[in-house]
Every structure is written in C-alpha cells, then in structure tokens.
Amino acid sequence: MTFSDDGQTNCQYSALLEDLQPDTNYEYRVTGSKSASDWHPMHTPPLGSHSYTALIFPDSQSSDYSDWSALAHTAWQRHPEAQFFINMGDIVDNGEDHTQWQAWFDGVEPMIAKIPFAPIMGNHETYDQNWKVRLPEAYLHYFDVPENQSATFSRYYYSFDHGAVHFIVLNSQWDETNDFKPGLLDEQLAWLKDDTQKSTAKWKVVLIHKDVLQYRIKKRPERKEGISAVGRAFMPLFDELGIDLVLTAHLHTYRNRGRLYDKQPSTDKGPLYILTGVAGNVRYPNLWTGHAFDKVVAPQPETDNYLTLAVTDSSLTVTCFLPDGQEIDRACVTK
Ligand SMILES: [Fe+2]
C-alpha cells in the first residue's frame, strides 16, 4: 500500500503471521527484489496467563528527537525482558511532518524490530503543517492496529489481549475529528461496553491520551480543578465495567491518583488512574498546580520519564522511572 503525505510517497507493507506457536522463538526478515533486511528474532508469548513486563512511554512529541531516542534506548536496555511497548499518544509534535515521523521511528530502532508496538493516537497526530486540525492521515497509515469493526473510525481505537490482560485503546480526539466526521465518542461508548463485556480476561486496562482530570493552570485562576470532558464521558463506564487500570497522558506530568470510584478517591473500588508523564523534549515546567486527587507527583521541574507495567497472576504493578533509572513511584492493583 502506498500513501502520500507531506509531499512524500511512502510504501507501507503489512504481513499477518498466522498459525504461530506460543512460547516459541522465530526469526523474520523483510525482503525486496534486490535487498533484504537483517534477520530479527521474535518470541511469541505463552498462551493464557503468564507473568510479563511491558514498557510504557508518555508523549514523545519533540522539536528534536534525541532525548526521545536516548530514553527509548535506555529503557529498553534496562528492561530487555519487555514483551512489547506502548506510546501514550502525541507520538510526534506535528502529525503531518514526515521528518518527525522518521525521527520517531529512528529513535525506537532496534526495539521496534524486536518487540511489538501498541500506539495510541493523540491530538498532535491530527495537526497539519499549518497547525490546523485535519484527520490523522499519517498515523492511520503507519500503524496497522487490530480492526474495531467501525465503518467510520477504523484504527482510531482498538483492543488486544496479551496474557491475562485485555488492553483497550480509546481515542480522546472527538473535539478534533467532529468537524470532519462526527460520532467518535458515541461510537466508542457503545463499543467499549460491548468489547469489555465480551472479554474473559482477568485484567482490563484502558489506554487513552487525554487525561480524566482537569488541572488548574498557574496564572489562570478561572480554570477550576475537577473532572475533564474525557473523565465525564468515560469514568462512569470504567466503574461499571470493572476496569482495573487507566493510563492517560497529554499533560506532560507524572501523577498517581490512586483508585477513583464515582469520580472520587476510593480505597477499594474503581480503577487505578496514572497520568504517565513526558518522554520527549516538550516540557511544561510550573504549568499545572496540584489536584486534590494527586497522591504522587514527579519531582519538579520534570525531566522525561518512562514506566513499566508488570503483570502477574495476582497483580498489576506500574513503576515510574526517571531517565537515569531512578524509581520515583510504584503503584499496584491486586485481586
Ligand atoms: Fe496531547
């Protein structure tokens, strides 16, 4: 498949690997008529419940992707056991700029050749070169995520299982897409219910770019803290569906809010809500004030950070690290 964007034509190839055996080592390579890539090792996970680690990167949007590249490399070196990695959206600063996409892909080599990647769409994926909103053409072409059976919003949101976890990737960009095609939120509310209720996985984890809380901004006293539009739309359904963990991004700050139920802190009900931080060079020092629901905030002013999600039969553990490997927070859900 070819697609043209930002004056460039890209050839994009997809291959679906079927009948793979669980817990087995494979090798693969990409060949053309005159050349071939190196062979890459690939290990399939065991069937069913098993313990594993995934790497999670917050917003990587940058003016210069060297910090992003350094963070991705150091995180993968420290966690070579990671079975796949996630980027929480705002993958690039400008969703049309092909040089940024190339810099992002260069930054995750060779990790992306060796372990799978789960992308999440952010609002910056919908920006054109003039910083006007458009549909996220490049994002939709680059990432061949699982189908969601939507005629209108194929690849905008999706779900997948890994071990005993059902990962639900939602899309918070209905403000951006409504002018082009309406219905992204309503469609997802129905899909989320159906998709989650069909799943028999022990754990259910939601990944969504924009945060569920609204933070006050220093120098803007009229903006009150509370629940954001995303929170108002989805938090009641997360409670109803028994979601265990919700990871968000967009605000470029790490905050652990503990468990929330009925839009209030709870000791024993509702999902654990983690706002994941920042992984590129776009930082917002001293922008946000605290929120009454914050339990842990990264040291200020913030540097980059990355997270691991460790899954066992009885726990989900999210650990947040600074670029030098220093652990700054650890949060756990057990059942
Ligand atoms: Fe964002």
Side-chain angles (χ1 to χ4, degrees):
M1 177 263 294
T2 61
F3 75 99
S4 294
D5 197 37
D6 193 21
Q8 298 277 313
T9 298
N10 300 285
C11 293
Q12 194 82 7
Y13 298 92
S14 287
L16 180 63
L17 305 179
E18 294 179 302
D19 301 324
L20 298 179
Q21 298 301 306
D23 204 11
T24 302
N25 287 316
Y26 291 92
E27 286 188 316
Y28 76 95
R29 66 174 178 168
V30 181
T31 61
S33 55
K34 292 182 182 157
S35 61
S37 73
D38 293 338
W39 285 96
H40 296 293
M42 183 180 77
H43 185 83
T44 51
L47 266 191
S49 175
H50 66 283
S51 296
Y52 66 89
T53 299
L55 272 171
I56 299 158
F57 296 100
D59 309 45
S60 48
Q61 64 180 102
S62 296
S63 57
D64 172 342
Y65 286 79
S66 48
D67 285 2
W68 160 246
S69 178
L71 185 75
H73 279 83
T74 195
W76 194 50
Q77 270 168 10
R78 287 203 197 94
H79 299 280
E81 76 284 8
Q83 295 197 350
F84 66 99
F85 75 102
I86 292 167
N87 185 300
M88 293 298 304
D90 289 356
I91 296 170
V92 291
D93 194 41
N94 186 287
E96 187 178 13
D97 186 334
H98 76 277
T99 65
Q100 294 195 23
W101 283 108
Q102 196 56 56
W104 186 89
F105 279 111
D106 288 346
V108 291
E109 287 290 356
M111 176 168 66
I112 201 166
K114 305 206 188 263
I115 57 174
F117 169 56
I120 292 142
M121 189 191 297
N123 49 302
H124 280 254
E125 273 68 67
T126 69
Y127 297 154
D128 70 13
Q129 291 274 27
N130 297 313
W131 301 102
K132 298 270 193 312
V133 174
R134 65 168 195 163
L135 292 177
E137 298 297 337
Y139 172 93
L140 293 171
H141 282 99
Y142 279 130
F143 302 119
D144 193 9
V145 300
E147 277 298 328
N148 58 14
Q149 309 306 323
S150 166
T152 314
F153 295 106
S154 176
R155 301 192 190 183
Y156 280 68
Y157 58 91
Y158 63 101
S159 64
F160 63 98
D161 287 348
H162 195 95
V165 183
H166 186 57
F167 288 91
I168 303 156
V169 178
L170 295 175
N171 190 310
S172 54
Q173 275 65 251
W174 54 86
D175 279 350
E176 287 79 5
T177 55
N178 268 352
D179 285 348
F180 302 94
K181 43 184 186 179
L184 180 57
L185 173 58
D186 287 347
E187 194 178 290
Q188 284 185 96
L189 290 170
W191 175 86
L192 170 62
K193 208 164 180 172
D194 184 55
D195 178 80
T196 308
Q197 287 174 342
K198 274 187 200 152
S199 171
T200 57
K202 172 167 184 169
W203 303 103
K204 295 179 178 71
V205 174
V206 164
L207 311 168
I208 184 167
H209 177 65
K210 290 180 185 170
D211 190 37
V212 294
L213 300 188
Q214 176 160 302
Y215 282 77
R216 282 181 293 133
I217 295 176
K218 287 173 186 168
K219 301 179 187 164
R220 271 182 58 190
E222 77 284 2
R223 185 182 154 108
K224 306 286 184 226
E225 81 172 38
I227 306 293
S228 73
V230 169
R232 291 195 300 277
F234 282 117
M235 289 172 89
L237 210 42
F238 294 163
D239 290 346
E240 182 188 327
L241 297 170
I243 303 297
D244 299 290
L245 169 66
V246 177
L247 299 177
T248 59
H250 185 55
L251 302 184
H252 299 203
T253 180
Y254 175 84
R255 317 259 168 150
N256 170 1
R257 284 73 61 93
R259 296 181 75 171
L260 303 176
Y261 184 80
D262 199 14
K263 300 177 190 153
Q264 292 295 323
S266 169
T267 52
D268 59 351
K269 281 193 290 190
L272 168 65
Y273 284 91
I274 302 282
L275 174 56
T276 52
V278 57
N281 76 349
V282 178
R283 304 190 185 102
Y284 303 146
N286 295 314
L287 180 64
W288 311 109
T289 63
H291 191 293
F293 295 172
D294 288 345
K295 288 186 156 198
V296 179
V297 180
Q300 301 292 307
E302 292 191 46
T303 60
D304 287 347
N305 67 283
Y306 66 93
L307 307 91
T308 55
L309 170 63
V311 178
T312 72
D313 279 345
S314 58
S315 64
L316 298 178
T317 304
V318 180
T319 309
C320 181
F321 299 92
L322 296 180
D324 65 3
Q326 183 192 338
E327 179 182 322
I328 58 169
D329 190 32
R330 182 178 288 229
C332 196
V333 185
T334 56
K335 71 177 180 188

